[in-house]
Each structure stands twice: as C-alpha cells, then as structure tokens.
C-alpha cells in the first residue's frame, strides 16, 4: 500500500519536483557537499573528484540497472544508502521517479537532488543507453593584479604572473582520453626551463573491452584499493560533518586528469573482470620533485617537494630530479554484499632516500625500495556493514583499520572506525582514514552518528580519539588528542535550510619549557550558524556567521560574517554569485575558513586572518549550446596593514585582487 501511494503521488508530482530542480540547485547542493568534505583544508585538491563526477553526469546511470560498483562511484552515497537503494529495488522492482526515492530510509531531499544529476529512470530490461562521442576543450587564465616581490626587478621568478591551464577530453562508450597542461604563476612559458610550453603535462587514454567489463589504462592513472592502507591516491574522504561517508570503496584503477603534479602514477595498467573475481595490475615509471644531495660522493635525495611550483632556480633544480618505479597487483572477490581483496605493491627509487637526522624521522622510511602487502574486506549483514584492511610494510611495520556502519533503529545511523598503525609502518601510496597526513604511527577510535529525531531536523556528530606513540614533527614526544563535532540541520521551508555547527579539537603541540621542549595542549573551537535558500527560481541567498577560538602558549580569537547572493536566468543561460564578507581575527592561529564559488572544476577554501573585507563576483554565461564562459573577480582589503604576504609573495599595499577567466567548448 505504501509503495502504491508513492507511485500515485510520484506520477502526479514528478513534473512539479523536476520543474523545481534547476542546474543552480544541483550546483548549490554539490558545493555544500564539497565544502563539508573539505572543511578547513585550503590546500585540498578535489579536481580529480569533480572530473570523475562530471564524467558520470555526462553518462548517467540507469537507476534500475546500475550495480553496487556503479553506485559506489558516487562519493556522496554511503555504504548503507547503497544497500538500501539496492534492497528497495530488489523488493519493489522498477523505480519510476525521483519522488519515489523519498520512501527509502536516509534519502532526504538534498541527497535526492544530488542523485538526480547522475541517474535516469530507465526500464529494468532496457538496452544500455548509447552515448555519442563527446569532446571538450577548456582554457583558463588566472592573474593576481597586484605585483608580488618575486616579479620585481631583479626578478626572482623565471616566468610571468599568469597562471594558465588547458585541457582536452574525449569520451565515448569504449574510449576515454585526455590531455592536461598547466603553468603556475611565475613559471616560464615557451622559454627558459620550459621551451616546449607549459611546465606540467598529463595525458591518459583508457579502453573498455567486452562492454566495459575489462579496462586498459595508458598514461597517467591512480590506484585505490581497500581502505587506503596500501594504496589510495587522489581525493580521499576523512573526518567531516558527513559522518556516514567514512568507508572507502575499492575503486581499483582510475584515469588521472588533475593538476596535482605528484600524487599519481604514469605507465600502463589493466583491470579484468572474471566473473566474481576482478584482477588489476599496474606498472609505473615516473619522475618527481625532490631535494638531491650526495653522501660520500653517492647521490641521494633528502625530501620530497610537493608544491608543484617551479619558479625560482632552486625549485627548477628540484623538478623531476628523481625517478621511481612502482608495480603492483590486486585480486578481489565479490559475492553479493561480501567482498575480499589482496594487494601487493613494490616501489623502487632511482637513488636512496636519506632523511634529515631528526627524532621525528627515526621510523619513517629511508632507503631505495619498499614493499607493501594488504588484505581488505567488506561485508553487509542486514542493517550492518563491516569493512577493513590489514597491511604489512617491508619496514617491519603492521597496520590495521576496521570499521562498522550500522542502522540499529529507524532514523539512526552509526559509523565506527578503529585504526592501529605502527610507527614502523610506511606506505608511500597510502591514503587511509587518519588524523595525520602520513599513514604512520597512529592509534585511534572514531565514532559518528546521524540522528533524525523529527521531520525536518537532523543531528550529525562524531568523536575521534587518537594517539601517536612516537615524536611527530609538531610534538616533543608521544602524544594523544581528541576531536568532536556536533551539527544540527533544520529544513526551514521548502527551499530554505539552516544548520549550526560546533567543533572542538585538542592535541599536544611542541612548546618552550623551562629547560627543554615540552608538549602543551593546543585547542581549537569553532561555532558556525548558516542559512541558505531561494527567494525565487532566480535569486538565492547564503548567510553565515562564524567564530573561532585558539589556545596554546597564547590565546586568540576571531570571527567572520558573510552574505552571498546568487542569480540564475530562467533559461539557465546565465548564473552569478556575489559575496561580501567581513573578518576579524587576532592572528593566523585564529584564522577562519570560508568556501568560495569558483570556476568550473575549481573549488577554493581560503583562510582569512587579520582584519578586513572580502568580496567577489563569480559568473557563468552560456554563449551558445557548445560554448560556456566563466569569470571571477575577487578582492581582499586588509585594515591597518602596509603589506600582504612575505618573501617573494610579498605585496606592497593592503589589497589583493585576483581575476579568473575560463572558456569551455563542447562538441
């Protein structure tokens, strides 16, 4: 009876629901998700994530035919949500409309809004949709209007202040290919150290065989196995207000198309589907940036350079100075809601890695080669979903990570993760759920919950407890810490939402003692109130107030208020965002992060400190069916300062203005 009621309502209201769904709505929901996942991380690179989602949006899934693996490619769906969607489809048959998804537990309007962009409601036994080959050319230029010290005579930077970007994409039912090229501000272009044009080039091509069951990859690619203890490159989910998105799905091999110049492999790879088994294997030879040196006349490198910048003589000297060979394989078995996998990876550098002689480097990998082995599993039982991985490194280190996602009662979801990573464990390709940036020396326990006690209200919260059993770069000795987050979200009206979030973190950080360095607790607290909604189909508003408090050797505080106004033409040929924000913090320690709308495939979460104003206008204009243009003009005014930045990035004055222009041609 319940299903029949939803089907009847769906037939009557689908046109209304779809009529209220605009590109702007989808973009807003996606940006809210991105901001949540990238909280406080101004250096996060999610370009690869956006490229993968764009490909799925161009080639949507038939919701009545898609497999578990297909749905797991959508980062915003948790393991429990995928299970519920598949179970609903198995019990009731074909899903006819987006409105019907409301009857699936955990599928709220915001999630359904996102999902609609990546699926269509085709027949159960329909032939797979055929897609015409598509091509895309995208060009981008970014420039800071104020002159930085590095460009002043005598110039320290080799190139011009423009940042240039070019990409080409080709996609068809069986072949995907692409080329990416980039020049950062200060890097040379068709001259100096880059006589062939851009400073960075990346290319890939992958072929789908036997209706996509088998894949061949050439050029640049990523490897993602298990829960990331042995290998997980590119974007990785971690702690955020999306407490249900903590488990990783074994994504295997993926073509690479981002501008992160370090975290990828280059060579060839294959992924073969053999019934319930899937076998992947890869080989890579790639040069990377590093600090070269010599010991007793023998070449070594002492550290990695991950900025991707090659502007000064020192940065240019480090460019592609060391080569590495990486090879590996993964064999996985899947049967219904159970899967099991085994991974083996070996990496060998051209020269030995010899780190600086410091206590915090004592157990980090040194030498010329390293191997990793890992086993991983996923297992769903009724309302419970277990996942985990155990791994070994040739540095005689072990690591384990085990988790549980469960729905013990209606409107309640739990996430639990336990990790135990020894100080001797090292894995250069790893990207697991951890507090620190390195998958090394961490023991921790995380528990999160999503509760929907009444209609329109949802509560999200997590607590994470962690400890390091050896000295870290920021500590004077072994240390432990904790982190908490609580968020209450409320549906104010049909197209109006609000949430309030409190965050607390406490962890030891090195400080000056009376006679030596000691660990002293560093605490951060943040409080945010956010409201967003639509005045009409054409005008949108976002309002926010945020406060932050910091305590270590000294105490400091800060706050920020901002107002966004969005506009979209009725034909969706033009859309604009305008922001005005005011911030005031005692120092950098009390900085406030604020997500900003940006160009297509670009997202930024800059940090603001000091006192000043921030304003920007960001827009898209659809010139014709095949041509789109994006522009952004942003300026920050700082109060009571005579200069901004330091070193070669120093700007004389109190203003910082950035102009961005982007053009996309699809055919």
């Amino acid at each position: 009876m319940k299903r029949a009621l939803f089907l009847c309502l769906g037939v009557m209201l689908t046109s209304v629901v779809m009529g209220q769904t605009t590109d702007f709505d989808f973009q807003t929901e996606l940006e809210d998700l991105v901001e949540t996942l990238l909280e406080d991380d101004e250096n996060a690179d999610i370009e690869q994530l956006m490229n993968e989602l764009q490909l799925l949006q161009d080639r949507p899934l038939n919701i009545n035919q898609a497999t578990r693996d297909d749905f797991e490619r959508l980062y915003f769906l948790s393991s429990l949500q995928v299970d519920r969607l598949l179970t609903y489809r198995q019990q009731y048959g074909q899903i006819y409309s987006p409105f019907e998804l409301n009857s699936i537990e955990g599928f709220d309007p915001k999630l359904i809004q996102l999902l609609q962009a990546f699926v269509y409601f085709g027949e159960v036994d329909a032939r797979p949709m055929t897609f015409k080959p598509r091509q895309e050319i995208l060009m981008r230029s970014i420039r800071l209007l104020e002159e930085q010290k590095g460009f002043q005579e005598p110039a320290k930077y080799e190139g011009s202040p423009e940042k240039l970007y070019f990409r080409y994409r080709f996609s068809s039912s069986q072949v995907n290919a692409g080329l990416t090229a980039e020049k950062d501000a200060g890097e040379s272009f068709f001259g100096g150290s880059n006589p062939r044009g851009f400073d960075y080039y990346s290319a890939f091509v992958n072929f789908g065989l036997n209706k996509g069951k088998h894949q061949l990859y050439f050029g640049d690619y990523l490897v993602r196995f298990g829960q990331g203890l042995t290998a997980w490159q590119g974007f990785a989910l971690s702690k955020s207000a999306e407490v249900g998105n903590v488990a990783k799905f074994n994504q295997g091999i993926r073509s690479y198309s981002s501008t992160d110049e370090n975290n990828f492999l280059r060579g060839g790879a294959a992924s073969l589907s053999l019934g319930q088994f899937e076998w992947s294997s890869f080989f890579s030879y790639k040069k990377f940036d590093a600090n070269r040196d010599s010991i007793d006349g023998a070449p070594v490198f002492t550290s990695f350079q991950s900025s991707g910048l090659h502007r000064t003589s020192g940065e240019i000297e480090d460019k592609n100075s060391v080569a590495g060979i990486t090879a590996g394989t993964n064999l996985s078995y899947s049967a219904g809601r159970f899967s099991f996998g085994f991974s083996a990876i070996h990496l060998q550098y051209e020269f030995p890695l010899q780190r600086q002689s410091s206590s915090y480097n004592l157990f980090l990998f040194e030498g010329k080669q390293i191997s990793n082995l890992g086993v991983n599993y996923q297992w769903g039982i009724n309302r419970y979903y277990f996942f985990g991985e155990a791994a070994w490194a040739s540095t005689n280190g072990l690591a384990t990570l085990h988790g549980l996602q469960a729905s013990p009662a209606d409107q309640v979801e739990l996430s639990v993760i336990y990790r135990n990573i020894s100080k001797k464990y090292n894995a250069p390709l790893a990207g697991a759920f951890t507090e620190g940036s390195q998958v090394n020396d961490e023991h921790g326990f995380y528990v999160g919950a999503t509760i929907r006690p009444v209609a329109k209200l949802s509560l999200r919260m997590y607590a994470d407890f962690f400890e390091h059993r050896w000295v870290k770069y920021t500590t004077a000795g072994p240390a432990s810490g904790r982190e908490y987050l609580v968020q209450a979200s409320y549906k104010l009206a049909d197209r109006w939402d609000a949430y309030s979030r409190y965050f607390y973190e406490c962890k030891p950080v090195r400080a000056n003692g009376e006679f030596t360095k000691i660990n002293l607790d560093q605490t951060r607290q943040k409080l945010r109130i956010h409201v967003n909604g639509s005045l009409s189909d054409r005008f949108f508003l976002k309002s926010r107030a945020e406060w932050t408090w910091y305590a270590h050797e000294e105490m400091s505080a800060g706050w920020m208020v901002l107002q966004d106004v969005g506009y979209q033409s009725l034909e969706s040929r033009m859309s604009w965002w305008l922001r005005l924000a005011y911030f005031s913090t005692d120092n950098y320690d009390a900085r406030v992060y604020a997500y900003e709308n940006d160009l297509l495939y670009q997202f930024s979460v800059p940090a603001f400190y000091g006192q000043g104003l921030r304003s920007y206008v960001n827009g898209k204009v659809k010139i014709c069916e095949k041509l789109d243009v994006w522009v952004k003009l942003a300026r920050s005014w700082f109060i009571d300062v005579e200069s901004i930045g330091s070193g070669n990035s120093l700007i004389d004055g109190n203003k910082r203005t950035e102009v961005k222009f982007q053009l996309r041609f699809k055919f």
Side-chain angles (χ1 to χ4, degrees), residues 159-190:
S160 66
E162 291 84 16
K163 181 174 183 177
L164 304 176
Y165 173 90
F166 171 87
R167 68 173 249 173
Y168 167 78
R169 295 291 180 271
F170 172 88
S171 61
S172 68
S173 298
Q174 302 298 326
V175 180
N176 290 291
L179 170 69
T180 301
E182 183 192 50
K183 177 197 99 70
D184 288 305
E187 295 175 341
S188 59
F189 186 59
F190 282 107

mmCIF file of all heavy atoms in Angstrom, residues 159-190:
data_model
loop_
_atom_site.group_PDB
_atom_site.id
_atom_site.type_symbol
_atom_site.label_atom_id
_atom_site.label_comp_id
_atom_site.label_asym_id
_atom_site.label_seq_id
_atom_site.Cartn_x
_atom_site.Cartn_y
_atom_site.Cartn_z
ATOM 1 N N GLY A 159 59.209 33.193 -14.784
ATOM 2 C CA GLY A 159 58.153 33.440 -15.756
ATOM 3 C C GLY A 159 57.235 34.586 -15.403
ATOM 4 O O GLY A 159 57.489 35.382 -14.499
ATOM 5 N N SER A 160 56.111 34.646 -16.125
ATOM 6 C CA SER A 160 55.135 35.728 -15.990
ATOM 7 C C SER A 160 54.157 35.423 -14.858
ATOM 8 O O SER A 160 54.058 34.289 -14.386
ATOM 9 C CB SER A 160 54.365 35.890 -17.307
ATOM 10 O OG SER A 160 53.582 34.732 -17.560
ATOM 11 N N PRO A 161 53.385 36.432 -14.419
ATOM 12 C CA PRO A 161 52.463 36.231 -13.285
ATOM 13 C C PRO A 161 51.165 35.514 -13.647
ATOM 14 O O PRO A 161 50.359 35.237 -12.759
ATOM 15 C CB PRO A 161 52.188 37.655 -12.805
ATOM 16 C CG PRO A 161 52.420 38.516 -13.994
ATOM 17 C CD PRO A 161 53.510 37.866 -14.772
ATOM 18 N N GLU A 162 50.919 35.196 -14.912
ATOM 19 C CA GLU A 162 49.690 34.497 -15.274
ATOM 20 C C GLU A 162 49.798 33.005 -14.927
ATOM 21 O O GLU A 162 50.845 32.386 -15.078
ATOM 22 C CB GLU A 162 49.392 34.627 -16.774
ATOM 23 C CG GLU A 162 49.014 36.008 -17.231
ATOM 24 C CD GLU A 162 50.232 36.864 -17.501
ATOM 25 O OE1 GLU A 162 51.343 36.285 -17.631
ATOM 26 O OE2 GLU A 162 50.093 38.096 -17.567
ATOM 27 N N LYS A 163 48.672 32.465 -14.480
ATOM 28 C CA LYS A 163 48.532 31.025 -14.332
ATOM 29 C C LYS A 163 47.648 30.546 -15.476
ATOM 30 O O LYS A 163 46.509 30.993 -15.626
ATOM 31 C CB LYS A 163 47.903 30.667 -12.987
ATOM 32 C CG LYS A 163 47.746 29.171 -12.775
ATOM 33 C CD LYS A 163 47.245 28.844 -11.368
ATOM 34 C CE LYS A 163 47.158 27.336 -11.161
ATOM 35 N NZ LYS A 163 46.748 26.986 -9.769
ATOM 36 N N LEU A 164 48.168 29.637 -16.303
ATOM 37 C CA LEU A 164 47.470 29.184 -17.499
ATOM 38 C C LEU A 164 47.152 27.700 -17.390
ATOM 39 O O LEU A 164 47.927 26.919 -16.823
ATOM 40 C CB LEU A 164 48.319 29.446 -18.742
ATOM 41 C CG LEU A 164 48.765 30.890 -18.975
ATOM 42 C CD1 LEU A 164 49.666 30.973 -20.193
ATOM 43 C CD2 LEU A 164 47.549 31.805 -19.136
ATOM 44 N N TYR A 165 46.014 27.333 -17.963
ATOM 45 C CA TYR A 165 45.557 25.947 -17.879
ATOM 46 C C TYR A 165 44.870 25.573 -19.175
ATOM 47 O O TYR A 165 44.104 26.366 -19.750
ATOM 48 C CB TYR A 165 44.600 25.805 -16.703
ATOM 49 C CG TYR A 165 43.912 24.470 -16.581
ATOM 50 C CD1 TYR A 165 44.475 23.425 -15.851
ATOM 51 C CD2 TYR A 165 42.670 24.247 -17.180
ATOM 52 C CE1 TYR A 165 43.829 22.204 -15.724
ATOM 53 C CE2 TYR A 165 42.014 23.033 -17.060
ATOM 54 C CZ TYR A 165 42.601 22.010 -16.336
ATOM 55 O OH TYR A 165 41.957 20.801 -16.217
ATOM 56 N N PHE A 166 45.131 24.367 -19.639
ATOM 57 C CA PHE A 166 44.478 23.844 -20.852
ATOM 58 C C PHE A 166 44.151 22.379 -20.636
ATOM 59 O O PHE A 166 44.950 21.630 -20.067
ATOM 60 C CB PHE A 166 45.398 23.987 -22.073
ATOM 61 C CG PHE A 166 44.874 23.283 -23.309
ATOM 62 C CD1 PHE A 166 44.000 23.926 -24.165
ATOM 63 C CD2 PHE A 166 45.256 21.973 -23.596
ATOM 64 C CE1 PHE A 166 43.509 23.284 -25.295
ATOM 65 C CE2 PHE A 166 44.772 21.322 -24.728
ATOM 66 C CZ PHE A 166 43.898 21.984 -25.578
ATOM 67 N N ARG A 167 42.962 21.973 -21.084
ATOM 68 C CA ARG A 167 42.635 20.554 -21.038
ATOM 69 C C ARG A 167 41.769 20.165 -22.226
ATOM 70 O O ARG A 167 40.943 20.960 -22.705
ATOM 71 C CB ARG A 167 41.931 20.168 -19.746
ATOM 72 C CG ARG A 167 40.557 20.702 -19.558
ATOM 73 C CD ARG A 167 39.895 20.114 -18.330
ATOM 74 N NE ARG A 167 38.800 19.227 -18.687
ATOM 75 C CZ ARG A 167 38.136 18.488 -17.825
ATOM 76 N NH1 ARG A 167 38.481 18.505 -16.549
ATOM 77 N NH2 ARG A 167 37.139 17.730 -18.204
ATOM 78 N N TYR A 168 41.983 18.945 -22.666
ATOM 79 C CA TYR A 168 41.180 18.358 -23.747
ATOM 80 C C TYR A 168 40.671 17.011 -23.269
ATOM 81 O O TYR A 168 41.419 16.239 -22.656
ATOM 82 C CB TYR A 168 42.013 18.181 -25.017
ATOM 83 C CG TYR A 168 41.331 17.313 -26.056
ATOM 84 C CD1 TYR A 168 40.305 17.820 -26.853
ATOM 85 C CD2 TYR A 168 41.699 15.973 -26.212
ATOM 86 C CE1 TYR A 168 39.664 17.021 -27.788
ATOM 87 C CE2 TYR A 168 41.066 15.166 -27.151
ATOM 88 C CZ TYR A 168 40.048 15.690 -27.934
ATOM 89 O OH TYR A 168 39.409 14.896 -28.857
ATOM 90 N N ARG A 169 39.386 16.721 -23.513
ATOM 91 C CA ARG A 169 38.798 15.452 -23.131
ATOM 92 C C ARG A 169 38.025 14.862 -24.292
ATOM 93 O O ARG A 169 37.301 15.573 -25.013
ATOM 94 C CB ARG A 169 37.837 15.627 -21.938
ATOM 95 C CG ARG A 169 38.495 16.064 -20.659
ATOM 96 C CD ARG A 169 39.374 14.973 -20.069
ATOM 97 N NE ARG A 169 39.996 15.406 -18.835
ATOM 98 C CZ ARG A 169 41.168 16.024 -18.757
ATOM 99 N NH1 ARG A 169 41.838 16.293 -19.865
ATOM 100 N NH2 ARG A 169 41.664 16.378 -17.594
ATOM 101 N N PHE A 170 38.190 13.541 -24.459
ATOM 102 C CA PHE A 170 37.408 12.778 -25.424
ATOM 103 C C PHE A 170 36.791 11.603 -24.695
ATOM 104 O O PHE A 170 37.482 10.897 -23.939
ATOM 105 C CB PHE A 170 38.282 12.268 -26.570
ATOM 106 C CG PHE A 170 37.566 11.309 -27.497
ATOM 107 C CD1 PHE A 170 36.850 11.795 -28.575
ATOM 108 C CD2 PHE A 170 37.591 9.933 -27.275
ATOM 109 C CE1 PHE A 170 36.170 10.927 -29.422
ATOM 110 C CE2 PHE A 170 36.915 9.059 -28.109
ATOM 111 C CZ PHE A 170 36.194 9.556 -29.198
ATOM 112 N N SER A 171 35.497 11.379 -24.876
ATOM 113 C CA SER A 171 34.842 10.250 -24.221
ATOM 114 C C SER A 171 33.837 9.621 -25.163
ATOM 115 O O SER A 171 33.103 10.310 -25.876
ATOM 116 C CB SER A 171 34.152 10.696 -22.929
ATOM 117 O OG SER A 171 33.159 11.660 -23.197
ATOM 118 N N SER A 172 33.842 8.299 -25.184
ATOM 119 C CA SER A 172 32.877 7.531 -25.957
ATOM 120 C C SER A 172 32.509 6.309 -25.143
ATOM 121 O O SER A 172 32.954 6.145 -24.003
ATOM 122 C CB SER A 172 33.457 7.131 -27.320
ATOM 123 O OG SER A 172 34.509 6.194 -27.153
ATOM 124 N N SER A 173 31.728 5.430 -25.708
ATOM 125 C CA SER A 173 31.293 4.253 -24.966
ATOM 126 C C SER A 173 32.450 3.344 -24.602
ATOM 127 O O SER A 173 32.397 2.631 -23.597
ATOM 128 C CB SER A 173 30.255 3.481 -25.781
ATOM 129 O OG SER A 173 29.107 4.272 -26.017
ATOM 130 N N GLN A 174 33.511 3.342 -25.410
ATOM 131 C CA GLN A 174 34.606 2.409 -25.190
ATOM 132 C C GLN A 174 35.946 3.079 -24.908
ATOM 133 O O GLN A 174 36.859 2.427 -24.401
ATOM 134 C CB GLN A 174 34.779 1.493 -26.430
ATOM 135 C CG GLN A 174 33.539 0.691 -26.782
ATOM 136 C CD GLN A 174 33.126 -0.271 -25.688
ATOM 137 O OE1 GLN A 174 33.968 -0.810 -24.989
ATOM 138 N NE2 GLN A 174 31.827 -0.478 -25.529
ATOM 139 N N VAL A 175 36.072 4.353 -25.228
ATOM 140 C CA VAL A 175 37.365 5.025 -25.118
ATOM 141 C C VAL A 175 37.206 6.346 -24.375
ATOM 142 O O VAL A 175 36.277 7.112 -24.647
ATOM 143 C CB VAL A 175 37.991 5.290 -26.507
ATOM 144 C CG1 VAL A 175 39.341 5.987 -26.354
ATOM 145 C CG2 VAL A 175 38.148 3.988 -27.287
ATOM 146 N N ASN A 176 38.111 6.601 -23.445
ATOM 147 C CA ASN A 176 38.219 7.901 -22.789
ATOM 148 C C ASN A 176 39.669 8.351 -22.868
ATOM 149 O O ASN A 176 40.587 7.556 -22.625
ATOM 150 C CB ASN A 176 37.790 7.811 -21.321
ATOM 151 C CG ASN A 176 36.304 7.599 -21.171
ATOM 152 O OD1 ASN A 176 35.506 8.473 -21.455
ATOM 153 N ND2 ASN A 176 35.927 6.403 -20.726
ATOM 154 N N ALA A 177 39.870 9.600 -23.210
ATOM 155 C CA ALA A 177 41.233 10.120 -23.345
ATOM 156 C C ALA A 177 41.250 11.581 -22.933
ATOM 157 O O ALA A 177 40.224 12.271 -22.954
ATOM 158 C CB ALA A 177 41.737 9.961 -24.779
ATOM 159 N N GLY A 178 42.431 12.055 -22.563
ATOM 160 C CA GLY A 178 42.534 13.445 -22.152
ATOM 161 C C GLY A 178 43.958 13.939 -22.083
ATOM 162 O O GLY A 178 44.899 13.147 -21.942
ATOM 163 N N LEU A 179 44.096 15.240 -22.185
ATOM 164 C CA LEU A 179 45.381 15.922 -22.051
ATOM 165 C C LEU A 179 45.177 17.123 -21.144
ATOM 166 O O LEU A 179 44.234 17.900 -21.323
ATOM 167 C CB LEU A 179 45.906 16.384 -23.412
ATOM 168 C CG LEU A 179 47.116 17.327 -23.388
ATOM 169 C CD1 LEU A 179 48.355 16.586 -22.897
ATOM 170 C CD2 LEU A 179 47.358 17.939 -24.766
ATOM 171 N N THR A 180 46.051 17.290 -20.145
ATOM 172 C CA THR A 180 46.015 18.426 -19.233
ATOM 173 C C THR A 180 47.373 19.116 -19.241
ATOM 174 O O THR A 180 48.407 18.445 -19.205
ATOM 175 C CB THR A 180 45.680 17.970 -17.800
ATOM 176 O OG1 THR A 180 44.417 17.312 -17.789
ATOM 177 C CG2 THR A 180 45.639 19.158 -16.850
ATOM 178 N N ALA A 181 47.363 20.441 -19.298
ATOM 179 C CA ALA A 181 48.609 21.210 -19.274
ATOM 180 C C ALA A 181 48.407 22.426 -18.380
ATOM 181 O O ALA A 181 47.341 23.039 -18.383
ATOM 182 C CB ALA A 181 49.003 21.640 -20.688
ATOM 183 N N GLU A 182 49.460 22.780 -17.626
ATOM 184 C CA GLU A 182 49.340 23.892 -16.690
ATOM 185 C C GLU A 182 50.662 24.622 -16.529
ATOM 186 O O GLU A 182 51.737 24.006 -16.543
ATOM 187 C CB GLU A 182 48.867 23.394 -15.325
ATOM 188 C CG GLU A 182 48.653 24.527 -14.320
ATOM 189 C CD GLU A 182 48.471 24.015 -12.899
ATOM 190 O OE1 GLU A 182 49.304 23.200 -12.461
ATOM 191 O OE2 GLU A 182 47.520 24.449 -12.240
ATOM 192 N N LYS A 183 50.555 25.933 -16.366
ATOM 193 C CA LYS A 183 51.681 26.789 -15.997
ATOM 194 C C LYS A 183 51.263 27.606 -14.791
ATOM 195 O O LYS A 183 50.287 28.355 -14.843
ATOM 196 C CB LYS A 183 52.051 27.733 -17.136
ATOM 197 C CG LYS A 183 53.163 28.713 -16.791
ATOM 198 C CD LYS A 183 53.231 29.877 -17.750
ATOM 199 C CE LYS A 183 52.562 31.112 -17.203
ATOM 200 N NZ LYS A 183 53.277 31.744 -16.079
ATOM 201 N N ASP A 184 51.959 27.457 -13.678
ATOM 202 C CA ASP A 184 51.655 28.256 -12.496
ATOM 203 C C ASP A 184 52.232 29.656 -12.636
ATOM 204 O O ASP A 184 53.143 29.903 -13.443
ATOM 205 C CB ASP A 184 52.237 27.586 -11.247
ATOM 206 C CG ASP A 184 51.471 26.340 -10.851
ATOM 207 O OD1 ASP A 184 50.253 26.434 -10.660
ATOM 208 O OD2 ASP A 184 52.093 25.264 -10.754
ATOM 209 N N ALA A 185 51.706 30.584 -11.827
ATOM 210 C CA ALA A 185 52.235 31.946 -11.820
ATOM 211 C C ALA A 185 53.714 31.914 -11.454
ATOM 212 O O ALA A 185 54.115 31.271 -10.487
ATOM 213 C CB ALA A 185 51.467 32.800 -10.824
ATOM 214 N N GLY A 186 54.529 32.586 -12.251
ATOM 215 C CA GLY A 186 55.968 32.624 -12.007
ATOM 216 C C GLY A 186 56.746 31.600 -12.793
ATOM 217 O O GLY A 186 57.989 31.674 -12.854
ATOM 218 N N GLU A 187 56.067 30.635 -13.399
ATOM 219 C CA GLU A 187 56.755 29.638 -14.212
ATOM 220 C C GLU A 187 56.861 30.128 -15.651
ATOM 221 O O GLU A 187 56.001 30.860 -16.147
ATOM 222 C CB GLU A 187 56.013 28.301 -14.159
ATOM 223 C CG GLU A 187 56.009 27.679 -12.769
ATOM 224 C CD GLU A 187 55.189 26.416 -12.678
ATOM 225 O OE1 GLU A 187 54.331 26.195 -13.551
ATOM 226 O OE2 GLU A 187 55.400 25.647 -11.717
ATOM 227 N N SER A 188 57.909 29.707 -16.338
ATOM 228 C CA SER A 188 58.130 30.161 -17.710
ATOM 229 C C SER A 188 57.185 29.442 -18.668
ATOM 230 O O SER A 188 56.652 28.374 -18.360
ATOM 231 C CB SER A 188 59.582 29.915 -18.116
ATOM 232 O OG SER A 188 59.899 28.525 -18.029
ATOM 233 N N PHE A 189 56.996 30.037 -19.834
ATOM 234 C CA PHE A 189 56.071 29.513 -20.837
ATOM 235 C C PHE A 189 56.696 29.704 -22.212
ATOM 236 O O PHE A 189 56.937 30.825 -22.641
ATOM 237 C CB PHE A 189 54.736 30.251 -20.726
ATOM 238 C CG PHE A 189 53.648 29.720 -21.610
ATOM 239 C CD1 PHE A 189 53.229 28.404 -21.512
ATOM 240 C CD2 PHE A 189 53.021 30.543 -22.533
ATOM 241 C CE1 PHE A 189 52.218 27.910 -22.316
ATOM 242 C CE2 PHE A 189 51.997 30.068 -23.342
ATOM 243 C CZ PHE A 189 51.592 28.747 -23.233
ATOM 244 N N PHE A 190 57.010 28.600 -22.887
ATOM 245 C CA PHE A 190 57.721 28.631 -24.164
ATOM 246 C C PHE A 190 59.019 29.429 -24.045
ATOM 247 O O PHE A 190 59.325 30.307 -24.850
ATOM 248 C CB PHE A 190 56.842 29.211 -25.274
ATOM 249 C CG PHE A 190 55.829 28.233 -25.804
ATOM 250 C CD1 PHE A 190 54.492 28.370 -25.488
ATOM 251 C CD2 PHE A 190 56.218 27.167 -26.599
ATOM 252 C CE1 PHE A 190 53.555 27.471 -25.961
ATOM 253 C CE2 PHE A 190 55.283 26.264 -27.083
ATOM 254 C CZ PHE A 190 53.945 26.407 -26.761
#
